[in-house]
Amino acid sequence: MSLATDAADKTTLYKRIRADIEKRILTGEWPPGHRIPFEHELVARYGCSRMTVNKALSELAQADLIERRRRAGSFVRRPQHLSAVLKIADIRAEIIALGRSYGYELIGRKLRAATAADRDRLGVKKAGKVVAITCRHSADNVPFAVEDRLIDLSSVPNAATADFSREPPGSWLLHHVPWTEAEHTISAIAADERTAEALDIAVGAPCLVIDRYTWRSARTITAVRLLYPGDSHRLVARFKGG
Amino acid sequence: MSLATDAADKTTLYKRIRADIEKRILTGEWPPGHRIPFEHELVARYGCSRMTVNKALSELAQADLIERRRRAGSFVRRPQHLSAVLKIADIRAEIIALGRSYGYELIGRKLRAATAADRDRLGVKKAGKVVAITCRHSADNVPFAVEDRLIDLSSVPNAATADFSREPPGSWLLHHVPWTEAEHTISAIAADERTAEALDIAVGAPCLVIDRYTWRSARTITAVRLLYPGDSHRLVARFKGG
DNA sequence: CACGATTATATGTCTAGACATTTAAGTCAA
DNA sequence: TTGACTTAAATGTCTAGACATATAATCGTG
């Protein structure tokens, strides 16, 4: 009863060890650079085997909260202050999650041999055919975002015959192309005439832009630009660590 | 020699098992929903103990690539399509990393009892004193971003006497307040007169806005708004999974 | 004092078991 | 057919060891 390790916890031991240490780090009790107890000390404190504390410490190391150095010990890491988890949902799912009615409208669809500009945008040397799609998403009948997308048909041949007049291409791809990697670039631009009309905002009004480039094991799949009215849309990112 | 498990790898076994499985998932060979081999099957395939394959699978589960269900097995997860890792560096570090010269200028600093607006912005019920800071960051002598910050002195008393005329508050906080959590909100707005002047852009020009709210174990630390000229700054987020 | 060799130590990985827990699937009766 | 009970299979956690490996600290030597 003398140690802080009594109490019939319902959780498992290694999780409790991990939580104990995480708490001390997050509260600042153990600041960056602080050496946390050696494995054998934790073994003694918690009365368990080394594998158990090792599992706890390994997970903390994986989460970048601590750094482990052979012979020296484990140390609280200096916070990175540079990585945050950004949630970018499928637009349809996002609007529905907000409790608003989702509307979708296909503005244009073209199937063509890739032009030089297309190849440049997709980041490929040579491409066969591509589908170019322009569409608009709305929430409660108010324009929410316009989408301008290019799909590489050599990677996703099915997209040639998909019916994008009913289903938004983002949702379609999500269900037909598993496990991709992507890169997002976020910026702000002034609405040009075409955008202003589609979003029902003034020409020159600020828009939030997300450019997403998606590939799967080195094969380009799609490049998309999403334009949101700047005053109505927000991206939220959360993170831990400095 | 018959299995794909020979070869004197320099890496450890559990990492190889993890990499093998990850590769099959990422290439689509094992699509979402696919049941990956049972632990005892992998034990047989790799000729190791169960703890070793368990470690590999546990890490894949932690990375959300697979889902483990008792009695049923382990399954490739459907990609989330909503979490991306966004890198938001300290501005000074970011500019220096770009190989450009960093410039900093303190525009205003006020120490005051928290007003209602301050409390609202910091998300606290009652607050004693706060420091309000306005400053400008520049790269190669061109305005890069303007910063508008509020620091809760009841959480960071040292900030009252820190010299923010030389060191940017973001960098100062990074070195004086360890292990925080934060939430970022990204949006786009039109530059108002004050912002336009500070950034040397036209009034009404689009700006990328990052609002960051930082706390540490339930204590608010700082709230900051960063305004970047929309045409010059980009945020890049990378992710894996759908 | 400087520098190279040695040693001690903490972590990294692994084993061959064990028991607990969850739950899919099968069994049987109403 | 349905619902309750049983069973078995897979994962979850844990142990008490083992050897490997990197490296901080020490010791010797020039």
Side-chain angles (χ1 to χ4, degrees):
Chain A
M1 300 295 278
S2 59
L3 297 169
T5 59
D6 52 323
D9 279 314
K10 54 181 172 291
T11 183
T12 58
L13 182 52
Y14 93 87
K15 281 181 181 165
R16 190 153 61 88
I17 298 173
R18 171 158 63 69
D20 283 357
I21 295 169
E22 191 168 334
K23 191 174 161 190
R24 295 201 208 226
I25 293 173
L26 260 27
T27 59
E29 183 181 340
W30 287 348
H34 177 91
R35 207 211 76 222
I36 74 173
F38 295 130
E39 290 190 352
H40 66 83
E41 294 175 311
L42 293 169
V43 162
R45 184 194 310 282
Y46 288 95
C48 62
S49 80
R50 192 166 79 90
M51 278 300 283
T52 302
V53 312
N54 183 281
K55 182 162 186 172
L57 295 182
S58 293
E59 289 194 2
L60 288 170
Q62 236 188 308
D64 273 342
L65 245 79
I66 66 171
E67 183 187 353
R68 314 200 72 198
R69 292 208 300 271
R70 280 173 142 118
R71 169 67 210 249
S74 302
F75 301 83
V76 177
R77 284 195 59 144
R78 182 168 309 284
Q80 325 297 66
H81 211 298
L82 42 63
S83 69
V85 177
L86 176 67
K87 304 235 165 193
I88 299 183
D90 173 55
I91 295 177
R92 181 167 66 178
E94 185 182 355
I95 290 174
I96 290 170
L98 287 169
R100 304 168 69 182
S101 76
Y102 174 73
Y104 168 74
E105 194 183 340
L106 181 65
I107 297 173
R109 175 191 172 280
K110 267 187 207 146
L111 199 157
R112 63 171 177 246
T115 65
D118 291 343
R119 288 197 299 274
D120 189 51
R121 196 170 158 205
L122 288 170
V124 294
K125 289 281 193 303
K126 51 177 180 178
K129 292 180 175 176
V130 296
V131 190
I133 296 155
T134 306
C135 58
R136 180 167 66 173
H137 308 265
S138 52
D140 289 342
N141 294 316
V142 176
F144 187 80
V146 287
E147 173 175 340
D148 190 15
R149 184 186 291 269
L150 220 52
I151 302 176
D152 187 340
L153 285 180
S154 61
S155 294
V156 195
N158 286 356
T161 54
D163 182 7
F164 293 127
S165 65
R166 304 189 55 192
E167 187 176 19
S171 304
W172 185 90
L173 283 166
L174 189 57
H175 288 97
H176 289 79
V177 182
W179 284 112
T180 59
E181 290 173 87
E183 188 170 290
H184 298 86
T185 303
I186 301 159
S187 57
I189 63 165
D192 60 20
E193 213 165 302
R194 194 173 66 103
T195 306
E197 193 184 349
L199 289 177
D200 194 20
I201 56 177
V203 172
C207 291
L208 191 65
V209 188
I210 300 178
D211 285 296
R212 180 187 300 155
Y213 172 65
T214 308
W215 68 94
R216 185 178 111 185
S217 45
R219 279 194 82 90
T220 296
I221 292 172
T222 184
V224 60
R225 165 165 278 206
L226 296 163
L227 284 155
Y228 300 83
D231 56 355
S232 72
H233 193 65
R234 292 165 165 275
L235 284 167
V236 177
R238 244 175 168 267
F239 85 132
K240 188 186 281 188
Chain B
M1 300 294 278
S2 57
L3 296 170
T5 60
D6 50 322
D9 279 312
K10 55 181 170 291
T11 184
T12 59
L13 182 52
Y14 92 88
K15 280 182 183 166
R16 192 154 59 88
I17 298 173
R18 172 159 63 68
D20 282 358
I21 295 169
E22 191 169 334
K23 190 173 163 189
R24 296 201 207 225
I25 293 173
L26 261 26
T27 59
E29 182 181 339
W30 288 348
H34 177 90
R35 208 210 75 224
I36 74 173
F38 295 128
E39 290 191 351
H40 66 83
E41 293 175 310
L42 292 168
V43 162
R45 185 195 310 280
Y46 289 94
C48 62
S49 80
R50 191 165 79 89
M51 277 301 282
T52 301
V53 311
N54 183 282
K55 182 162 185 171
L57 295 183
S58 293
E59 289 194 2
L60 288 170
Q62 236 188 309
D64 272 341
L65 246 78
I66 66 171
E67 184 186 351
R68 314 201 71 198
R69 289 208 301 272
R70 280 173 144 120
R71 170 67 210 250
S74 302
F75 301 84
V76 177
R77 284 194 59 144
R78 181 171 309 284
Q80 327 296 63
H81 212 297
L82 41 64
S83 72
V85 177
L86 175 67
K87 304 235 167 194
I88 299 184
D90 173 56
I91 295 177
R92 182 168 64 179
E94 184 182 356
I95 290 174
I96 290 171
L98 287 170
R100 304 168 71 181
S101 77
Y102 174 72
Y104 168 72
E105 193 183 340
L106 180 65
I107 297 172
R109 174 190 173 282
K110 267 187 208 145
L111 199 156
R112 62 171 178 247
T115 66
D118 291 343
R119 288 198 299 274
D120 189 52
R121 196 170 158 204
L122 289 170
V124 293
K125 289 280 192 304
K126 51 176 181 179
K129 291 182 176 175
V130 297
V131 189
I133 296 155
T134 306
C135 58
R136 180 167 65 173
H137 307 266
S138 52
D140 288 342
N141 295 315
V142 176
F144 188 78
V146 286
E147 174 174 340
D148 190 15
R149 183 185 293 267
L150 219 51
I151 302 176
D152 187 340
L153 285 180
S154 61
S155 294
V156 195
N158 285 356
T161 52
D163 182 8
F164 292 127
S165 66
R166 304 189 56 193
E167 186 175 20
S171 305
W172 185 89
L173 283 167
L174 188 57
H175 288 96
H176 289 78
V177 183
W179 283 110
T180 59
E181 292 174 87
E183 188 172 290
H184 297 86
T185 303
I186 301 158
S187 57
I189 64 166
D192 60 20
E193 214 165 299
R194 196 174 65 104
T195 306
E197 193 184 346
L199 290 177
D200 195 20
I201 56 177
V203 172
C207 292
L208 191 65
V209 187
I210 299 179
D211 285 297
R212 179 187 301 156
Y213 171 65
T214 308
W215 69 94
R216 184 177 114 188
S217 47
R219 278 193 83 90
T220 295
I221 291 173
T222 185
V224 60
R225 166 166 277 205
L226 296 163
L227 283 155
Y228 300 83
D231 55 354
S232 72
H233 193 65
R234 296 167 161 274
L235 286 167
V236 177
R238 243 173 169 268
F239 87 134
K240 187 185 280 188

